Amino acid sequence: MSGKPDYRNYINPGPKGSRFTANWQNEFLPDGETYTEDKTGKMIEALIGSVRPGSVVRVRRLFCLAPWKGSPRKRREAVANRVQAIRDRKGHILEAETGLSSNERGGCAKMLMGAYEDIATAGRAV
């Protein structure tokens, strides 16, 4: 692929009172087409559907790909499924805060481990 990478930002604002606001997530997402989740929860589908080979889906932290409702187990499963759907479309994921990428050796595993931990503890931090 030539030229500038095709960035697609995903913002999933946390529930009211959460510190994981749209602004908190946006701090690390400078340019690119932005998909901001709404109450319907359908923006993730639009984002995944827009991924082309070489697209970079950028999130502040990988756990932001998870829905905010549901048990930690269901939220972790959703993250894994969404990561796989992006990779199936030949896209990559960049965790903007840490610089980890699914394109790097071991990057995807490190991001998933971090997301699993964040999902387990984030609710207690609110």
Side-chain angles (χ1 to χ4, degrees):
M1 189 169 123
S2 64
K4 196 172 145 191
D6 171 29
Y7 287 109
R8 298 173 186 291
N9 298 327
Y10 180 67
I11 295 175
N12 184 14
K16 268 194 174 34
S18 162
R19 65 186 172 121
F20 308 113
T21 63
N23 286 339
W24 178 83
Q25 293 177 50
N26 197 38
E27 287 173 16
F28 282 80
L29 309 175
D31 59 348
E33 191 170 343
T34 299
Y35 293 78
T36 302
E37 197 58 76
D38 57 19
K39 293 197 184 308
T40 67
K42 301 290 183 200
M43 288 307 291
I44 187 68
E45 294 167 17
L47 168 72
I48 291 169
S50 77
V51 172
R52 298 186 300 266
S55 291
V56 177
V57 174
R58 192 165 39 191
V59 289
R60 178 167 180 167
R61 297 278 299 274
L62 192 65
F63 79 91
C64 295
L65 278 178
W68 290 104
K69 291 184 177 161
S71 67
R73 183 184 61 75
K74 286 200 179 297
R75 294 177 64 215
R76 288 190 290 254
E77 187 177 318
V79 167
N81 290 337
R82 290 169 177 186
V83 166
Q84 190 59 53
I86 291 165
R87 296 185 80 191
D88 287 349
R89 294 184 63 93
K90 310 271 189 275
H92 308 290
I93 300 164
L94 173 65
E95 196 175 60
E97 185 176 314
T98 64
L100 288 171
S101 170
S102 63
N103 211 12
E104 300 166 5
R105 181 176 168 86
C108 199
K110 287 177 188 169
M111 284 192 299
L112 282 169
M113 291 302 292
Y116 279 35
E117 184 66 23
D118 287 336
I119 287 169
T121 60
R124 293 181 217 139
V126 172

